[in-house]
Amino acid sequence: MTASVETNGDFKENLGFRQKLGRFFNVLLLICTLVGLVVLTVLLVDVALEGGSWIRLQLFTNYHSRFPEKAGMKSGIVGSLILIGLTGLFSFPIGVGAAIYLEEYAPKNWLTNFINININNLSGVPSIVYGMLGLTVFGRMFGLFEPDSWLVKVFNIPVTTGMQGGWQFDLFGIPGLAIQLPFGRSLVAGAMTMTLLILPVVIIASREAIRAVPPSIREAAYGLGATRWQTVSTQVLPVAVPGILTGMILALSRAVGETAPLLIMGAFTYVPFLPESVWDQFTTMPIQIYNWITLPQEDYRIHLAAAGIIVLLAVLLSLNTIAVYLRNKFQVKW
Amino acid sequence: MSADQNSNNHDIVFTTKQLSVYYGRQLAIRDIDLSIQRHKITAIIGPSGCGKSTLLRSFNRMNELIPTARVEGQVYYNEKNIYAEGIDPVSIRRHIGMVFQKPNPFPKSIYDNVAFGARINKYQGDMDELVERSLRQAALWDEVKDKLKDSGLALSGGQQQRLCIARALATEPDVILMDEPASALDPIATLRIEELMEELKRNYTIIVVTHNMQQASRVSDMTAFLSIDRNDLEARIGILVEYGATQRMFIKPEMQETEDYITGRFG
């Protein structure tokens, strides 16, 4: 293998060393690949061993309890599901709309560049910062609806004090459309904070999906007398949707695992009821797991927490599976 | 060059006057004066980068899709300046169809590909009938009539290009612009496109950009030869060197540069 076909005076082939170096890097790169995988496997095995036998019906049907055998995370599971549902509802139209604007409409100037750079920066901002933002903007609304704020005084708004304080009113008098300002510790406040958190990721992923649509398709549509919106809505978006949905779901799976911003928002660790409306308080799976880990008893700290992690991972994995399925099923093959 | 041109205004579809196109500060084509005759095939030939496609795209205002592009001068379509204030390029493009270099069917069914232009322009007639007529005109009907619901992308390259022609015909245009329509196709598919162009010129005016001189001499009635301005080679500005009847241009060109290009001495 290292023998040369013929030796040639001016070339010092040194084949043996070159091939050895090649093999060395082959092995080194393989090790780099395996490090992450091995650690993850160890973690998964450990979690499965500690929590596997604690995956029982109670985990899904019971609330947190003083007795570890009876404790469950029903409110966390339901809270997480509603939260990502709402987050998806808020972030999909805004994120995709922004992506369409930036890709198809925005002029190429310094302002667009500035926005681009900052969207990329925002995707790297620590989630706890979004928690602070969410608390101030959505949770408290700058204290505008406290009894002594200028807004309340000027407009004579009928605010109440206490836990659910602020201004409650029925939009158009329909009870289902009841709105509470500020949003406080509600699911709406949490979902809006999560929306801010994942918007940069949604926008970036959607833009990539839109950019991947060949320009020739746009030219064809314009050439037939389509307006810009007709081109975007009938040709570009249908082709981009699988990619957009994939990015959307991956962003949501990031939101499912977030704990810090919700803790800052004031999500409770012990919620022994299910939310009846989006204005209710809530807890989520990661918060429930966090709560269990802080308790002294081993059954909570190790076994229940591990069982919770398994459920959380299962939800994440199914979200990612849906993403892969959507991409493979609806992707246009050129 | 005026000797070849028909002076009857009714037979002129396009007239460009002092047409110049810039990309940013770069001048791409300069002061083009050209008249395109109705129901004729006009070929635009010339070396790479001389602005053939830029000129073609000025006829349906496609250049405007490039943000930095800027047009000076006038283009009269049926004696109306399409660059005049208040003219919407969207309405122009329905009347002046376009076929591109690489076949670019939409990733939709053959039927939907053809129907698209009619749908967005709110065609009021019988859609099935329009689709069939357009596909027949593009000599594709017999090959696809049993699989109209199949994806346009499943067709061969030559079929895809004829689908794109059918798609352009379905908006009932007056003129069809073709930007090297056969350059991505094999010789047999190319021949079919050329035969089709012969057919289509009875009802439509065709302007075709081509790299292929044999193609220009085979199919076109008129030929416009564009080249890079020799007085300023650095700037690479496209100018119209010669325009006339194809037969005469290829046998006895007036300009030395045309002869050099046609005989393959440059380009």
Side-chain angles (χ1 to χ4, degrees), chain B residues 149-161:
Chain B
K149 294 276 164 273
D150 289 11
S151 169
L153 294 170
L155 299 173
S156 73
Q159 288 174 323
Q160 286 189 10
Q161 196 61 305

Side-chain angles (χ1 to χ4, degrees), chain A residues 75 78-79 82 162-165 180 183-188 265-284:
Chain A
S75 53
V78 172
I82 298 177
M163 272 296 284
Q164 289 270 17
Q180 176 203 320
F183 295 149
R185 299 173 163 194
S186 67
L187 277 160
V188 170
M265 293 289 297
F268 291 90
T269 49
Y270 177 55
V271 179
F273 55 83
L274 292 184
E276 281 173 2
S277 85
V278 293
W279 305 104
D280 277 347
Q281 292 153 13
F282 67 102
T283 189
T284 65

Side-chain angles (χ1 to χ4, degrees), chain A:
Chain A
M1 193 175 168
T2 54
S4 195
V5 182
E6 63 179 295
T7 48
N8 182 328
D10 285 341
F11 291 89
K12 193 156 165 279
E13 280 186 330
N14 204 0
L15 261 186
F17 174 72
R18 279 159 60 196
Q19 292 290 11
K20 253 183 219 148
L21 193 70
R23 280 194 292 277
F24 169 73
F25 272 100
N26 189 346
V27 173
L28 185 75
L29 299 176
L30 178 66
I31 291 170
C32 292
T33 312
L34 290 180
V35 166
L37 274 179
V38 167
V39 172
L40 185 68
T41 311
V42 169
L43 193 76
L44 284 179
V45 169
D46 181 54
V47 166
L49 287 178
E50 301 289 1
S53 59
W54 286 72
I55 306 253
R56 299 169 303 193
L57 199 59
Q58 294 98 295
L59 197 65
F60 303 95
T61 56
N62 288 12
Y63 301 108
H64 176 66
S65 159
R66 282 189 294 132
F67 309 102
E69 313 81 57
K70 287 188 185 168
M73 53 193 297
K74 185 179 175 185
S75 53
I77 294 170
V78 172
S80 275
L81 291 179
I82 298 177
L83 189 74
I84 57 164
L86 282 177
T87 307
L89 218 57
F90 296 152
S91 58
F92 184 79
I94 302 174
V96 175
I100 293 173
Y101 175 75
L102 289 170
E103 277 303 310
E104 302 285 334
Y105 287 86
K108 302 270 173 287
N109 57 22
W110 67 269
L111 183 65
T112 315
N113 270 337
F114 181 76
I115 293 173
N116 285 342
I117 292 167
N118 280 295
I119 287 173
N120 286 321
N121 285 341
L122 282 175
S123 67
V125 169
S127 56
I128 201 153
V129 177
Y130 283 101
M132 304 288 288
L133 185 73
L135 178 66
T136 315
V137 178
F138 305 126
R140 300 226 176 103
M141 293 201 168
F142 310 102
L144 280 177
F145 294 96
E146 278 160 24
D148 55 349
S149 94
W150 61 267
L151 191 77
V152 169
K153 280 177 182 152
V154 169
F155 292 98
N156 214 2
I157 298 170
V159 291
T160 56
T161 49
M163 272 296 284
Q164 289 270 17
W167 184 26
Q168 281 102 15
F169 62 98
D170 293 343
L171 198 62
F172 313 121
I174 306 166
L177 285 176
I179 285 182
Q180 176 203 320
L181 297 174
F183 295 149
R185 299 173 163 194
S186 67
L187 277 160
V188 170
M192 286 193 170
T193 308
M194 285 301 179
T195 298
L196 286 187
L197 176 75
I198 67 169
L199 256 185
V201 182
V202 174
I203 293 172
I204 291 169
S206 305
R207 288 184 69 176
E208 268 161 22
I210 290 170
R211 207 177 307 149
V213 178
S216 63
I217 291 302
R218 296 178 180 83
E219 284 203 318
Y222 285 126
L224 291 165
T227 61
R228 194 184 291 254
W229 174 244
Q230 284 177 320
T231 303
V232 170
S233 61
T234 60
Q235 298 298 342
V236 177
L237 278 187
V239 178
V241 154
I244 292 174
L245 284 183
T246 308
M248 185 75 223
I249 292 169
L250 292 181
L252 283 180
S253 69
R254 184 185 165 193
V256 173
E258 280 294 347
T259 323
L262 295 176
L263 283 176
I264 298 231
M265 293 289 297
F268 291 90
T269 49
Y270 177 55
V271 179
F273 55 83
L274 292 184
E276 281 173 2
S277 85
V278 293
W279 305 104
D280 277 347
Q281 292 153 13
F282 67 102
T283 189
T284 65
M285 282 186 271
I287 291 176
Q288 187 65 70
I289 294 166
Y290 170 79
N291 178 34
W292 281 337
I293 286 172
T294 58
L295 296 175
Q297 297 95 318
E298 195 168 275
D299 279 346
Y300 288 120
R301 196 159 49 83
I302 296 177
H303 300 303
L304 267 173
I309 287 171
I310 293 171
V311 176
L312 183 61
L313 286 178
V315 170
L316 284 175
L317 209 64
S318 26
L319 279 175
N320 290 6
T321 310
I322 293 170
V324 172
Y325 172 78
L326 283 176
R327 193 174 56 213
N328 291 345
K329 172 127 191 170
F330 294 107
Q331 201 170 36
V332 175
K333 309 225 171 21
W334 298 98

